[in-house]
Amino acid sequence: MEINPLSYFFTTNKNAELIKQATKELYSKNLELIKERRRLDKVLNSVRDGIIGFDKFGRISIFNQFASNLFKLDPDKVLEKEINSVVTFRLNGQKIDIFKDSFKVPQPQYMNSESLDYSLTVSCAKSSKEIFIALSVSIVDEDVLGQEVILSFYDLSEFKKLSDLKTDIISITSHELRTPMTVVKNYLWMLVNDKKDKLSKVQSGYINKAIQNSGRMLSLINDMLNVSRIEQGKLMFVLEKFAIQDEIFSIKDDMEARKGDKKIKLIFTVPKTPIKIYSDKVKFSELIVNLVTNSIKYTNEGEIELSVTAKPTTILVQIRDTGVGIPLVKQKELFVKFGRLNSSFVDSAKAGGTGLGLYISKQYVDGLGGKIGVISEGEQKGSIFWFEIPIKSKIESEIVDSSKNTSNKLK
Amino acid sequence: MTDKPKTILIVEDEKDILELYTTILTNAGYSVVSAEDGEKGLLKAKTEYWDIMLLDIMLPKLDGLGVLKAVKDNLDTKNKKIILLTNLGRESLITQGFDEGADAYLMKSELNPDQLLDEIKKVGG
């Protein structure tokens, strides 16, 4: 309130009225600023996000209530301190200099499961307790000296805990479901393939239906397990040399069975001379099963042709069908997790399955160092699903458990 | 086919799976010896006659890789054929198994009885 005596002093001046007016305005502007400041303080300290600001030299300028509660630090004691000496950020386990590299940190646009694709943690420099966060970085001011930056972060701990729990539950229940299902399927198979005691045609028909459905159940369980492995970053590959013809023909009967009563002709156009590749045998079969089953699902009649082309360093597998086709705009979504769910184009309940097959297939092909895609000229024009994988796959060490090197002994 | 029937040693802790494979193999004319954990499996591998071992990887007491290593370190058994039994998600263990000298592997949930028999024939059964 030092302004009032001053203004009184100037009343004797001939410009007194003007100065008085200006002072009054200044006074009320100042009051506005104080109010504004108070509003900002309230916002800053009532949000459920941590907000930390630092100046061009990396010294902390803002440390809001949420951040101080999270780290159990007194905001007054950390102001002006160098940010890296107060909090430690880690991206996928690697310590990062948040002052220099804040813009190298991924910033999720929305809060969804993608925020958990990488792990960003923050901890108080003096404590080892790490908190999973999603970060957003913004520049307040920038000049030759550097940038004044505000970091705001959302605590993902609960989200992460729930997501991990979900993954664990899926993983454990699937494991437990799988063994009994395996046993059921095998005994049914033995029943229908028993050469001594032949079943009647009707009985074999019933049992074949039961076998097909237990097989379907097993592949659903495996899909769930695969996705939980992918989410845990634990998808692994076994590389060995094998002839692709052996794998393709071993699933032919199964594919014939899956098409059921549909009037579809299954054609396998595969070169007679064995094509030997060094890859993951089980995943290769699964890829073909996934794509052919997919085509069967969306083709009501006509034909499905599987063809293999050997190229100098890769093999190209194509599955062409005369099915419903895929509009161009939908083609990208196909290989996304639960892509089908977001698509009004396909009646999910009618299609059956988890809708995870193409997502898993893409993860397999990516892991093996190949490419996958679809060509379709549009609705009702059929589709060609294709994948191309190296004849000799090299798996990046982070995917395969590298405690042992991949063996060369495999024949 | 004048050879006397081959003997298969199955080491598998899940009783239903063990019984299933025993039935499939006996029906196909093989002799079967079995054990329900790694230690017993290793003991039978040393004391009983067998030609091919079906070895589960996840076993109590001593895991499949431990059994495999011991069998391959033993002069009497090191040339015998070993097929690993596993399930999806144990890929790194299979790679280790191959490094230790396993001859093949089978994914239990993917398997039909005829495929089990095929695989056994492939390694010489």
Side-chain angles (χ1 to χ4, degrees):
Chain A
M1 301 295 133
E2 292 153 55
I3 299 163
N4 285 339
L6 269 175
S7 61
Y8 177 76
F9 174 75
F10 280 112
T11 46
T12 53
N13 196 294
K14 53 183 170 183
N15 289 326
E17 264 321 298
L18 274 176
I19 290 168
K20 203 176 166 188
Q21 194 58 37
T23 313
K24 222 176 175 177
E25 268 173 36
L26 251 168
Y27 180 74
S28 74
K29 279 259 157 61
N30 194 28
L31 213 62
E32 262 316 296
L33 271 172
I34 292 171
K35 275 189 190 163
E36 191 61 29
R37 174 80 206 236
R38 201 184 284 158
R39 252 181 237 129
L40 276 176
D41 263 2
K42 282 282 174 213
V43 171
L44 201 60
N45 291 315
S46 63
V47 289
R48 296 286 177 270
D49 280 3
I51 296 174
I52 301 176
F54 56 82
D55 66 14
K56 291 159 191 169
F57 307 102
R59 292 175 309 209
I60 292 176
S61 52
I62 299 170
F63 205 83
N64 79 336
Q65 193 65 44
F66 188 86
S68 72
N69 290 348
L70 198 63
F71 300 116
K72 300 192 176 63
L73 288 171
D74 182 351
D76 294 335
K77 283 186 182 152
V78 295
L79 286 177
E80 301 287 310
K81 292 239 173 77
E82 211 276 315
I83 177 142
N84 282 314
S85 73
V86 177
V87 283
T88 307
F89 287 82
R90 281 193 175 80
L91 182 61
N92 298 325
Q94 290 285 320
K95 201 168 161 176
I96 43 175
D97 181 340
I98 200 72
F99 171 49
K100 281 191 192 137
D101 297 330
S102 54
F103 283 92
K104 291 185 185 162
V105 178
Q107 300 182 52
Q109 205 131 32
Y110 305 103
M111 281 298 313
N112 56 20
S113 58
E114 271 168 46
S115 331
L116 295 174
D117 283 353
Y118 51 87
S119 114
L120 179 68
T121 63
V122 65
S123 62
C124 166
K126 280 172 195 150
S127 142
S128 59
K129 191 180 169 257
E130 295 190 20
I131 300 146
F132 285 91
I133 56 164
L135 184 71
S136 147
V137 183
S138 35
I139 302 178
V140 183
D141 188 26
E142 186 173 19
D143 62 24
V144 281
L145 288 174
Q147 295 166 330
E148 194 184 327
V149 170
I150 287 187
L151 308 171
S152 82
F153 53 90
Y154 182 84
D155 183 358
L156 285 178
S157 306
E158 281 303 308
F159 194 52
K160 170 108 172 93
K161 226 189 269 172
L162 284 174
S163 169
D164 287 352
L165 188 66
K166 174 209 69 183
T167 309
D168 285 351
I169 289 174
I170 291 176
S171 176
I172 293 165
T173 46
S174 313
H175 271 295
E176 293 304 317
L177 287 171
R178 197 165 46 182
T179 302
M181 226 39 233
T182 305
V183 174
V184 168
K185 191 182 97 176
N186 277 273
Y187 280 115
L188 288 172
W189 193 96
M190 286 157 75
L191 203 55
V192 85
N193 286 286
D194 192 331
K195 291 194 177 63
K196 277 177 256 158
D197 299 309
K198 281 270 178 213
L199 295 172
S200 77
K201 246 197 169 150
V202 177
Q203 286 170 326
S204 321
Y206 292 161
I207 295 192
N208 272 325
K209 288 256 183 246
I211 292 175
Q212 274 167 37
N213 282 285
S214 53
R216 254 184 77 189
M217 183 105 108
L218 275 172
S219 61
L220 292 180
I221 294 170
N222 281 343
D223 277 1
M224 300 308 285
L225 264 173
N226 265 322
V227 170
S228 75
R229 304 239 150 236
I230 293 167
E231 286 182 349
Q232 293 169 317
K234 283 187 192 161
L235 189 63
M236 292 175 206
F237 297 84
V238 182
L239 299 181
E240 61 185 313
K241 206 168 174 185
F242 62 92
I244 60 165
Q245 282 89 345
D246 290 351
E247 298 312 306
I248 294 173
F249 289 111
S250 76
I251 55 169
K252 203 180 170 189
D253 288 346
D254 188 25
M255 295 296 99
E256 288 286 351
R258 281 191 205 206
K259 76 177 196 202
D261 307 329
K262 283 188 177 178
K263 287 193 181 65
I264 303 171
K265 200 176 163 204
L266 273 183
I267 311 162
F268 283 60
T269 313
V270 183
K272 281 213 174 80
T273 36
I275 303 171
K276 290 200 170 165
I277 66 170
Y278 183 74
S279 195
D280 187 308
K281 193 163 83 176
V282 174
K283 294 202 170 59
F284 179 81
S285 304
E286 262 186 74
L287 272 169
I288 290 178
V289 171
N290 278 348
L291 296 182
V292 174
T293 322
N294 201 55
S295 285
I296 293 174
K297 246 184 230 169
Y298 299 113
T299 304
N300 288 322
E301 55 180 351
E303 54 183 45
I304 294 170
E305 184 191 15
L306 180 147
S307 63
V308 176
T309 319
K311 298 186 174 184
T313 57
T314 58
I315 57 156
L316 172 66
V317 178
Q318 286 174 293
I319 291 111
R320 181 184 57 82
D321 65 48
T322 54
V324 295
I326 303 138
L328 200 64
V329 283
K330 297 282 174 194
Q331 291 179 11
K332 267 192 302 192
E333 295 170 20
L334 287 178
F335 299 95
V336 178
K337 183 161 51 173
F338 292 118
R340 201 180 65 198
L341 288 183
N342 307 324
S343 156
S344 53
F345 173 60
V346 170
D347 179 350
S348 221
K350 214 170 140 192
T354 51
L356 290 166
L358 291 179
Y359 167 70
I360 293 169
S361 301
K362 183 171 188 324
Q363 304 294 319
Y364 282 1
V365 172
D366 286 351
L368 291 168
K371 286 186 203 135
I372 188 166
V374 64
I375 306 163
S376 175
E377 284 174 13
E379 282 183 64
Q380 302 310 329
K381 294 200 171 143
S383 329
I384 303 171
F385 279 88
W386 59 270
F387 69 88
E388 190 169 358
I389 54 169
I391 286 179
K392 197 170 189 310
S393 271
K394 279 183 227 119
I395 304 294
E396 284 172 35
S397 56
E398 60 184 82
I399 302 174
V400 145
D401 182 344
S402 54
S403 57
K404 287 262 181 176
N405 290 325
T406 310
S407 169
N408 296 319
K409 281 183 261 173
L410 317 181
K411 279 175 201 140
Chain B
M1 299 294 278
T2 50
D3 297 346
K4 73 173 176 111
K6 295 260 160 88
T7 303
I8 317 290
L9 169 57
I10 311 176
V11 190
E12 166 68 62
D13 63 323
E14 283 176 292
K15 284 202 183 83
D16 289 327
I17 296 272
L18 176 60
E19 196 189 319
L20 170 71
Y21 289 168
T22 307
T23 314
I24 296 171
L25 293 172
T26 346
N27 284 353
Y30 291 101
S31 300
V32 172
V33 183
S34 67
E36 284 180 25
D37 67 53
E39 277 177 11
K40 282 186 193 139
L42 188 56
L43 187 71
K44 291 212 169 165
K46 283 179 187 158
T47 55
E48 304 218 8
Y49 179 82
W50 56 278
D51 301 290
I52 294 163
M53 187 191 295
L54 282 180
L55 176 62
D56 188 21
I57 296 189
M58 307 299 283
L59 285 171
K61 293 187 184 168
L62 176 64
D63 72 6
L65 292 178
V67 176
L68 174 67
K69 201 169 180 315
V71 168
K72 288 290 171 185
D73 283 346
N74 184 329
L75 281 180
D76 295 333
T77 51
K78 76 172 201 181
N79 291 322
K80 298 206 177 179
K81 302 289 181 190
I82 296 187
I83 300 174
L84 298 174
L85 292 175
T86 179
N87 257 328
L88 182 83
R90 305 276 172 228
E91 285 84 348
S92 65
L93 297 175
I94 302 166
T95 306
Q96 282 186 48
F98 277 133
D99 284 346
E100 298 287 356
D103 296 279
Y105 75 96
L106 294 171
M107 291 265 181
K108 286 185 271 188
S109 64
E110 305 283 310
L111 206 58
N112 277 335
D114 56 339
Q115 289 161 332
L116 172 70
L117 297 171
D118 277 356
E119 203 64 37
I120 287 181
K121 280 202 194 88
K122 257 192 225 165
V123 301

